[in-house]
PDB file of all heavy atoms in Angstrom:
ATOM      1  N   MET B   1       0.830  -1.200   0.000  1.00  0.00           N
ATOM      2  CA  MET B   1       0.000   0.000   0.000  1.00  0.00           C
ATOM      3  C   MET B   1       0.869   1.256   0.000  1.00  0.00           C
ATOM      4  O   MET B   1       0.549   2.256  -0.662  1.00  0.00           O
ATOM      5  CB  MET B   1      -0.935   0.000   1.217  1.00  0.00           C
ATOM      6  CG  MET B   1      -2.055  -1.022   1.137  1.00  0.00           C
ATOM      7  SD  MET B   1      -3.124  -0.755  -0.308  1.00  0.00           S
ATOM      8  CE  MET B   1      -4.438  -1.929   0.007  1.00  0.00           C
ATOM      9  N   ALA B   2       1.982   1.224   0.734  1.00  0.00           N
ATOM     10  CA  ALA B   2       2.892   2.369   0.717  1.00  0.00           C
ATOM     11  C   ALA B   2       3.468   2.579  -0.674  1.00  0.00           C
ATOM     12  O   ALA B   2       3.615   3.715  -1.148  1.00  0.00           O
ATOM     13  CB  ALA B   2       4.013   2.158   1.736  1.00  0.00           C
ATOM     14  N   CYS B   3       3.790   1.469  -1.356  1.00  0.00           N
ATOM     15  CA  CYS B   3       4.302   1.542  -2.720  1.00  0.00           C
ATOM     16  C   CYS B   3       3.245   2.150  -3.645  1.00  0.00           C
ATOM     17  O   CYS B   3       3.542   3.028  -4.462  1.00  0.00           O
ATOM     18  CB  CYS B   3       4.697   0.141  -3.199  1.00  0.00           C
ATOM     19  SG  CYS B   3       5.183   0.045  -4.938  1.00  0.00           S
ATOM     20  N   LEU B   4       1.995   1.715  -3.481  1.00  0.00           N
ATOM     21  CA  LEU B   4       0.917   2.262  -4.313  1.00  0.00           C
ATOM     22  C   LEU B   4       0.687   3.747  -4.023  1.00  0.00           C
ATOM     23  O   LEU B   4       0.392   4.526  -4.930  1.00  0.00           O
ATOM     24  CB  LEU B   4      -0.371   1.473  -4.075  1.00  0.00           C
ATOM     25  CG  LEU B   4      -0.406   0.069  -4.690  1.00  0.00           C
ATOM     26  CD1 LEU B   4      -1.600  -0.721  -4.162  1.00  0.00           C
ATOM     27  CD2 LEU B   4      -0.460   0.144  -6.211  1.00  0.00           C
ATOM     28  N   ASP B   5       0.829   4.132  -2.762  1.00  0.00           N
ATOM     29  CA  ASP B   5       0.702   5.549  -2.430  1.00  0.00           C
ATOM     30  C   ASP B   5       1.782   6.371  -3.118  1.00  0.00           C
ATOM     31  O   ASP B   5       1.525   7.492  -3.592  1.00  0.00           O
ATOM     32  CB  ASP B   5       0.779   5.746  -0.915  1.00  0.00           C
ATOM     33  CG  ASP B   5      -0.468   5.246  -0.198  1.00  0.00           C
ATOM     34  OD1 ASP B   5      -1.491   5.054  -0.888  1.00  0.00           O
ATOM     35  OD2 ASP B   5      -0.420   5.044   1.028  1.00  0.00           O
ATOM     36  N   ARG B   6       3.000   5.817  -3.186  1.00  0.00           N
ATOM     37  CA  ARG B   6       4.080   6.536  -3.859  1.00  0.00           C
ATOM     38  C   ARG B   6       3.783   6.682  -5.355  1.00  0.00           C
ATOM     39  O   ARG B   6       4.010   7.742  -5.946  1.00  0.00           O
ATOM     40  CB  ARG B   6       5.415   5.810  -3.656  1.00  0.00           C
ATOM     41  CG  ARG B   6       5.937   5.879  -2.233  1.00  0.00           C
ATOM     42  CD  ARG B   6       7.394   5.454  -2.176  1.00  0.00           C
ATOM     43  NE  ARG B   6       7.592   4.061  -2.531  1.00  0.00           N
ATOM     44  CZ  ARG B   6       7.510   3.049  -1.677  1.00  0.00           C
ATOM     45  NH1 ARG B   6       7.189   3.281  -0.403  1.00  0.00           N
ATOM     46  NH2 ARG B   6       7.722   1.806  -2.067  1.00  0.00           N
ATOM     47  N   GLU B   7       3.253   5.619  -5.950  1.00  0.00           N
ATOM     48  CA  GLU B   7       2.932   5.692  -7.386  1.00  0.00           C
ATOM     49  C   GLU B   7       1.784   6.658  -7.642  1.00  0.00           C
ATOM     50  O   GLU B   7       1.755   7.356  -8.666  1.00  0.00           O
ATOM     51  CB  GLU B   7       2.577   4.296  -7.908  1.00  0.00           C
ATOM     52  CG  GLU B   7       3.711   3.292  -7.833  1.00  0.00           C
ATOM     53  CD  GLU B   7       5.015   3.856  -8.356  1.00  0.00           C
ATOM     54  OE1 GLU B   7       5.011   4.517  -9.412  1.00  0.00           O
ATOM     55  OE2 GLU B   7       6.055   3.669  -7.696  1.00  0.00           O
ATOM     56  N   LEU B   8       0.834   6.731  -6.696  1.00  0.00           N
ATOM     57  CA  LEU B   8      -0.256   7.683  -6.860  1.00  0.00           C
ATOM     58  C   LEU B   8       0.270   9.120  -6.731  1.00  0.00           C
ATOM     59  O   LEU B   8      -0.202  10.026  -7.419  1.00  0.00           O
ATOM     60  CB  LEU B   8      -1.350   7.417  -5.820  1.00  0.00           C
ATOM     61  CG  LEU B   8      -2.663   8.192  -6.013  1.00  0.00           C
ATOM     62  CD1 LEU B   8      -3.275   7.875  -7.376  1.00  0.00           C
ATOM     63  CD2 LEU B   8      -3.650   7.860  -4.899  1.00  0.00           C
ATOM     64  N   SER B   9       1.268   9.305  -5.865  1.00  0.00           N
ATOM     65  CA  SER B   9       1.891  10.628  -5.754  1.00  0.00           C
ATOM     66  C   SER B   9       2.557  11.024  -7.061  1.00  0.00           C
ATOM     67  O   SER B   9       2.478  12.185  -7.496  1.00  0.00           O
ATOM     68  CB  SER B   9       2.922  10.637  -4.620  1.00  0.00           C
ATOM     69  OG  SER B   9       2.305  10.486  -3.362  1.00  0.00           O
ATOM     70  N   ARG B  10       3.204  10.062  -7.710  1.00  0.00           N
ATOM     71  CA  ARG B  10       3.833  10.347  -9.003  1.00  0.00           C
ATOM     72  C   ARG B  10       2.782  10.718 -10.056  1.00  0.00           C
ATOM     73  O   ARG B  10       2.966  11.629 -10.852  1.00  0.00           O
ATOM     74  CB  ARG B  10       4.643   9.139  -9.472  1.00  0.00           C
ATOM     75  CG  ARG B  10       5.923   8.884  -8.698  1.00  0.00           C
ATOM     76  CD  ARG B  10       6.791   7.853  -9.391  1.00  0.00           C
ATOM     77  NE  ARG B  10       8.040   7.635  -8.687  1.00  0.00           N
ATOM     78  CZ  ARG B  10       8.247   6.697  -7.781  1.00  0.00           C
ATOM     79  NH1 ARG B  10       7.268   5.859  -7.478  1.00  0.00           N
ATOM     80  NH2 ARG B  10       9.403   6.575  -7.182  1.00  0.00           N
ATOM     81  N   MET B  11       1.674   9.963 -10.039  1.00  0.00           N
ATOM     82  CA  MET B  11       0.616  10.259 -11.002  1.00  0.00           C
ATOM     83  C   MET B  11       0.032  11.650 -10.738  1.00  0.00           C
ATOM     84  O   MET B  11      -0.208  12.424 -11.675  1.00  0.00           O
ATOM     85  CB  MET B  11      -0.480   9.195 -10.906  1.00  0.00           C
ATOM     86  CG  MET B  11      -1.617   9.402 -11.899  1.00  0.00           C
ATOM     87  SD  MET B  11      -2.875   8.115 -11.775  1.00  0.00           S
ATOM     88  CE  MET B  11      -4.026   8.664 -13.048  1.00  0.00           C
ATOM     89  N   HIS B  12      -0.194  11.968  -9.457  1.00  0.00           N
ATOM     90  CA  HIS B  12      -0.724  13.277  -9.101  1.00  0.00           C
ATOM     91  C   HIS B  12       0.202  14.387  -9.567  1.00  0.00           C
ATOM     92  O   HIS B  12      -0.233  15.390 -10.157  1.00  0.00           O
ATOM     93  CB  HIS B  12      -0.918  13.343  -7.581  1.00  0.00           C
ATOM     94  CG  HIS B  12      -1.623  14.592  -7.128  1.00  0.00           C
ATOM     95  ND1 HIS B  12      -1.628  15.012  -5.816  1.00  0.00           N
ATOM     96  CD2 HIS B  12      -2.338  15.520  -7.823  1.00  0.00           C
ATOM     97  CE1 HIS B  12      -2.319  16.146  -5.725  1.00  0.00           C
ATOM     98  NE2 HIS B  12      -2.761  16.462  -6.925  1.00  0.00           N
ATOM     99  N   ALA B  13       1.504  14.188  -9.321  1.00  0.00           N
ATOM    100  CA  ALA B  13       2.482  15.188  -9.742  1.00  0.00           C
ATOM    101  C   ALA B  13       2.501  15.337 -11.257  1.00  0.00           C
ATOM    102  O   ALA B  13       2.610  16.454 -11.788  1.00  0.00           O
ATOM    103  CB  ALA B  13       3.869  14.805  -9.227  1.00  0.00           C
ATOM    104  N   THR B  14       2.371  14.219 -11.955  1.00  0.00           N
ATOM    105  CA  THR B  14       2.382  14.260 -13.419  1.00  0.00           C
ATOM    106  C   THR B  14       1.190  15.036 -13.957  1.00  0.00           C
ATOM    107  O   THR B  14       1.327  15.878 -14.850  1.00  0.00           O
ATOM    108  CB  THR B  14       2.385  12.827 -13.980  1.00  0.00           C
ATOM    109  OG1 THR B  14       3.569  12.156 -13.548  1.00  0.00           O
ATOM    110  CG2 THR B  14       2.342  12.832 -15.495  1.00  0.00           C
ATOM    111  N   VAL B  15       0.005  14.757 -13.418  1.00  0.00           N
ATOM    112  CA  VAL B  15      -1.197  15.465 -13.863  1.00  0.00           C
ATOM    113  C   VAL B  15      -1.062  16.959 -13.588  1.00  0.00           C
ATOM    114  O   VAL B  15      -1.375  17.801 -14.452  1.00  0.00           O
ATOM    115  CB  VAL B  15      -2.443  14.896 -13.159  1.00  0.00           C
ATOM    116  CG1 VAL B  15      -3.680  15.754 -13.461  1.00  0.00           C
ATOM    117  CG2 VAL B  15      -2.688  13.460 -13.595  1.00  0.00           C
ATOM    118  N   ARG B  16      -0.567  17.307 -12.396  1.00  0.00           N
ATOM    119  CA  ARG B  16      -0.455  18.724 -12.033  1.00  0.00           C
ATOM    120  C   ARG B  16       0.573  19.444 -12.903  1.00  0.00           C
ATOM    121  O   ARG B  16       0.319  20.552 -13.406  1.00  0.00           O
ATOM    122  CB  ARG B  16      -0.063  18.835 -10.554  1.00  0.00           C
ATOM    123  CG  ARG B  16       0.072  20.269 -10.055  1.00  0.00           C
ATOM    124  CD  ARG B  16       0.047  20.307  -8.534  1.00  0.00           C
ATOM    125  NE  ARG B  16       1.093  19.464  -7.963  1.00  0.00           N
ATOM    126  CZ  ARG B  16       2.350  19.871  -7.762  1.00  0.00           C
ATOM    127  NH1 ARG B  16       2.713  21.090  -8.107  1.00  0.00           N
ATOM    128  NH2 ARG B  16       3.221  19.066  -7.218  1.00  0.00           N
ATOM    129  N   VAL B  17       1.736  18.818 -13.096  1.00  0.00           N
ATOM    130  CA  VAL B  17       2.802  19.462 -13.875  1.00  0.00           C
ATOM    131  C   VAL B  17       2.388  19.620 -15.334  1.00  0.00           C
ATOM    132  O   VAL B  17       2.622  20.666 -15.951  1.00  0.00           O
ATOM    133  CB  VAL B  17       4.114  18.670 -13.756  1.00  0.00           C
ATOM    134  CG1 VAL B  17       5.149  19.182 -14.747  1.00  0.00           C
ATOM    135  CG2 VAL B  17       4.657  18.768 -12.335  1.00  0.00           C
ATOM    136  N   LEU B  18       1.757  18.588 -15.900  1.00  0.00           N
ATOM    137  CA  LEU B  18       1.354  18.666 -17.306  1.00  0.00           C
ATOM    138  C   LEU B  18       0.221  19.673 -17.513  1.00  0.00           C
ATOM    139  O   LEU B  18       0.108  20.271 -18.584  1.00  0.00           O
ATOM    140  CB  LEU B  18       0.935  17.288 -17.817  1.00  0.00           C
ATOM    141  CG  LEU B  18       2.063  16.269 -17.960  1.00  0.00           C
ATOM    142  CD1 LEU B  18       1.524  14.947 -18.493  1.00  0.00           C
ATOM    143  CD2 LEU B  18       3.155  16.789 -18.889  1.00  0.00           C
ATOM    144  N   THR B  19      -0.609  19.867 -16.499  1.00  0.00           N
ATOM    145  CA  THR B  19      -1.664  20.874 -16.607  1.00  0.00           C
ATOM    146  C   THR B  19      -1.067  22.279 -16.662  1.00  0.00           C
ATOM    147  O   THR B  19      -1.630  23.183 -17.280  1.00  0.00           O
ATOM    148  CB  THR B  19      -2.634  20.753 -15.418  1.00  0.00           C
ATOM    149  OG1 THR B  19      -3.182  19.430 -15.387  1.00  0.00           O
ATOM    150  CG2 THR B  19      -3.782  21.754 -15.534  1.00  0.00           C
ATOM    151  N   GLU B  20       0.106  22.437 -16.040  1.00  0.00           N
ATOM    152  CA  GLU B  20       0.783  23.739 -16.025  1.00  0.00           C
ATOM    153  C   GLU B  20       1.865  23.843 -17.098  1.00  0.00           C
ATOM    154  O   GLU B  20       2.520  24.878 -17.206  1.00  0.00           O
ATOM    155  CB  GLU B  20       1.434  23.962 -14.652  1.00  0.00           C
ATOM    156  CG  GLU B  20       0.461  23.873 -13.474  1.00  0.00           C
ATOM    157  CD  GLU B  20       1.171  23.776 -12.133  1.00  0.00           C
ATOM    158  OE1 GLU B  20       2.421  23.689 -12.154  1.00  0.00           O
ATOM    159  OE2 GLU B  20       0.493  23.782 -11.096  1.00  0.00           O
ATOM    160  N   ALA B  21       2.067  22.796 -17.886  1.00  0.00           N
ATOM    161  CA  ALA B  21       3.218  22.726 -18.790  1.00  0.00           C
ATOM    162  C   ALA B  21       3.133  23.743 -19.916  1.00  0.00           C
ATOM    163  O   ALA B  21       2.039  24.152 -20.330  1.00  0.00           O
ATOM    164  CB  ALA B  21       3.329  21.320 -19.377  1.00  0.00           C
ATOM    165  N   ASP B  22       4.321  24.110 -20.429  1.00  0.00           N
ATOM    166  CA  ASP B  22       4.356  24.973 -21.604  1.00  0.00           C
ATOM    167  C   ASP B  22       4.203  24.116 -22.859  1.00  0.00           C
ATOM    168  O   ASP B  22       4.017  22.897 -22.789  1.00  0.00           O
ATOM    169  CB  ASP B  22       5.659  25.781 -21.649  1.00  0.00           C
ATOM    170  CG  ASP B  22       6.908  24.903 -21.678  1.00  0.00           C
ATOM    171  OD1 ASP B  22       6.790  23.693 -21.976  1.00  0.00           O
ATOM    172  OD2 ASP B  22       8.000  25.428 -21.406  1.00  0.00           O
ATOM    173  N   ALA B  23       4.288  24.753 -24.033  1.00  0.00           N
ATOM    174  CA  ALA B  23       4.033  24.042 -25.287  1.00  0.00           C
ATOM    175  C   ALA B  23       5.043  22.917 -25.510  1.00  0.00           C
ATOM    176  O   ALA B  23       4.678  21.816 -25.942  1.00  0.00           O
ATOM    177  CB  ALA B  23       4.074  25.026 -26.464  1.00  0.00           C
ATOM    178  N   ASN B  24       6.316  23.164 -25.207  1.00  0.00           N
ATOM    179  CA  ASN B  24       7.336  22.138 -25.429  1.00  0.00           C
ATOM    180  C   ASN B  24       7.095  20.922 -24.548  1.00  0.00           C
ATOM    181  O   ASN B  24       7.204  19.782 -24.989  1.00  0.00           O
ATOM    182  CB  ASN B  24       8.732  22.713 -25.156  1.00  0.00           C
ATOM    183  CG  ASN B  24       9.157  23.718 -26.204  1.00  0.00           C
ATOM    184  OD1 ASN B  24       8.724  23.631 -27.350  1.00  0.00           O
ATOM    185  ND2 ASN B  24       9.980  24.674 -25.826  1.00  0.00           N
ATOM    186  N   ALA B  25       6.775  21.167 -23.284  1.00  0.00           N
ATOM    187  CA  ALA B  25       6.500  20.051 -22.379  1.00  0.00           C
ATOM    188  C   ALA B  25       5.216  19.336 -22.760  1.00  0.00           C
ATOM    189  O   ALA B  25       5.114  18.103 -22.631  1.00  0.00           O
ATOM    190  CB  ALA B  25       6.421  20.557 -20.939  1.00  0.00           C
ATOM    191  N   ALA B  26       4.221  20.087 -23.243  1.00  0.00           N
ATOM    192  CA  ALA B  26       2.943  19.473 -23.623  1.00  0.00           C
ATOM    193  C   ALA B  26       3.146  18.429 -24.722  1.00  0.00           C
ATOM    194  O   ALA B  26       2.531  17.361 -24.706  1.00  0.00           O
ATOM    195  CB  ALA B  26       1.959  20.542 -24.084  1.00  0.00           C
ATOM    196  N   LEU B  27       4.020  18.727 -25.671  1.00  0.00           N
ATOM    197  CA  LEU B  27       4.250  17.790 -26.768  1.00  0.00           C
ATOM    198  C   LEU B  27       4.922  16.513 -26.277  1.00  0.00           C
ATOM    199  O   LEU B  27       4.856  15.477 -26.947  1.00  0.00           O
ATOM    200  CB  LEU B  27       5.115  18.448 -27.845  1.00  0.00           C
ATOM    201  CG  LEU B  27       4.455  19.616 -28.585  1.00  0.00           C
ATOM    202  CD1 LEU B  27       5.415  20.219 -29.594  1.00  0.00           C
ATOM    203  CD2 LEU B  27       3.185  19.158 -29.286  1.00  0.00           C
TER     204      LEU B  27
END
């Protein structure tokens, strides 16, 4: 469960960063 929590944190960070990403990162 701790491992899954870490992976969910990565997914959360990915969604947040990509929502704020510039054009180069978006591609």
Side-chain angles (χ1 to χ4, degrees):
M1 289 300 188
C3 174
L4 287 169
D5 288 343
R6 290 194 295 273
E7 297 313 316
L8 190 59
S9 293
R10 288 191 178 93
M11 181 179 180
H12 187 196
T14 298
V15 172
R16 180 163 57 86
V17 170
L18 291 181
T19 302
E20 304 167 355
D22 59 16
N24 290 332
L27 293 178

